[in-house]
Amino acid sequence: MRLLTLARDLRRRKARDARRLFVCEGVRAVEELLASPIAPLGVIVAPQLLDAPRGAALRESLAAAGCLVEEVPARDFHSAAETESPQGVLAIAPIPERTLDAIAPGNGLRVLVLDALQDPGNVGTILRTAAALGATATLALPGTVDLWNAKVVRAAMGALFRHHALAATWDDVDAFRGRAGLALWVADAAGAPLGAVAAPPRLALVVGNEGAGVSDQARRRADATVALPIASTVESLNVAVATGILLYELRP
């Protein structure tokens, strides 16, 4: 199968799940992919990649790395691209096999749990922030946007290639909590002000859906519910912003 045909197919979540492949688009994203442990299956390039020095340098790096490269006209590239003004480079790579068993229990463990977050930009930003602030892993519960959606990959800006992020169910979370001795905190506006409760050495933090907040399943499991004190004139914070503040404050 041509890489272009494959890239078009991988716009669908079912295809990504079945093939265990994802698409990474844009100069910065492909640069990060090449520098990561994930080896691309192949790369599609269009003429506009050579319009900027950085794109030309990336084209040379692809050749030096021995990557399979398929050159296509700009019109064909647009049919596979997710961006409105594509930069002319798109890589296809295997989704890494990640498990909860690979996470070593220990003090300082910080696990972020995404409870039905649906905006790809928010999730990508959160993944980048979690990696930057030392979260051990990020778990995406059912109802959360696919972590390997092209928009999530792009917003994560390379963090997804290294940060231990994976899909999980509540059963998975429960089993892991039992093995690792994790307390579970839920972030909710009705919770106690962050700082009023001492953070445990091993912690899972649940952040909820952009509109509905955390699920009843999360609330039933919560050892504590915490909130960020904000001005009364502001109803709420964007979930990615709030998660970043929480992760910063809860660093071990």
Side-chain angles (χ1 to χ4, degrees):
M1 180 183 292
R2 289 185 61 199
L3 290 176
L4 183 64
T5 303
L6 181 57
R8 290 169 178 156
D9 190 39
L10 292 173
R11 296 178 71 157
R12 302 181 300 118
R13 181 169 187 167
K14 286 185 177 180
R16 293 192 297 272
D17 289 344
R19 298 180 182 276
R20 300 299 298 165
L21 296 171
F22 72 96
V23 167
C24 167
E25 184 187 341
V27 172
R28 171 69 181 274
V30 175
E31 287 174 342
E32 293 288 346
L33 181 65
L34 289 179
S36 80
I38 304 174
L41 178 71
V43 181
I44 303 169
V45 300
Q48 63 264 38
L49 178 63
L50 303 180
D51 290 346
R54 189 170 176 179
L58 175 58
R59 183 66 179 87
E60 292 179 3
S61 297
L62 293 170
C67 294
L68 173 64
V69 175
E70 182 175 296
E71 297 185 356
V72 302
R75 182 175 179 179
D76 289 347
F77 189 89
H78 272 267
S79 70
E82 293 274 0
T83 55
E84 292 184 8
S85 301
Q87 296 176 324
V89 63
L90 181 157
I92 297 171
I95 295 173
E97 296 297 330
R98 293 170 176 164
T99 67
L100 285 171
D101 290 337
I103 302 172
N107 290 343
L109 191 61
R110 292 290 185 267
V111 177
L112 179 63
V113 182
L114 309 183
D115 188 8
L117 272 67
Q118 296 175 345
D119 183 86
N122 280 340
V123 171
T125 300
I126 286 171
L127 290 168
R128 185 183 182 198
T129 304
L133 295 179
T136 312
T138 298
L139 311 182
L141 293 172
T144 298
V145 65
D146 178 20
L147 295 180
W148 298 99
N149 174 297
K151 293 179 181 179
V152 175
V153 174
R154 189 163 61 252
M157 298 184 71
L160 188 52
F161 307 149
R162 298 177 179 84
H163 180 58
H164 199 80
L166 65 153
T169 66
W170 274 118
D171 286 344
D172 296 328
V173 173
D174 291 342
F176 181 66
R177 286 182 66 199
R179 294 197 306 273
L182 276 177
L184 188 140
W185 284 12
V186 162
D188 185 84
L194 187 66
V197 184
R202 304 179 185 187
L203 175 65
L205 174 69
V206 184
V207 294
N209 177 271
E210 290 86 351
V214 293
S215 65
D216 289 340
Q217 290 176 295
R219 295 180 194 279
R220 288 196 299 268
R221 290 169 167 82
D223 296 306
T225 303
V226 295
L228 292 173
I230 59 175
S232 60
T233 53
V234 178
E235 181 183 0
S236 63
L237 292 174
N238 170 274
V239 66
V241 172
T243 302
I245 298 170
L246 288 163
L247 289 176
Y248 180 85
E249 293 295 333
L250 292 171
R251 289 178 301 169

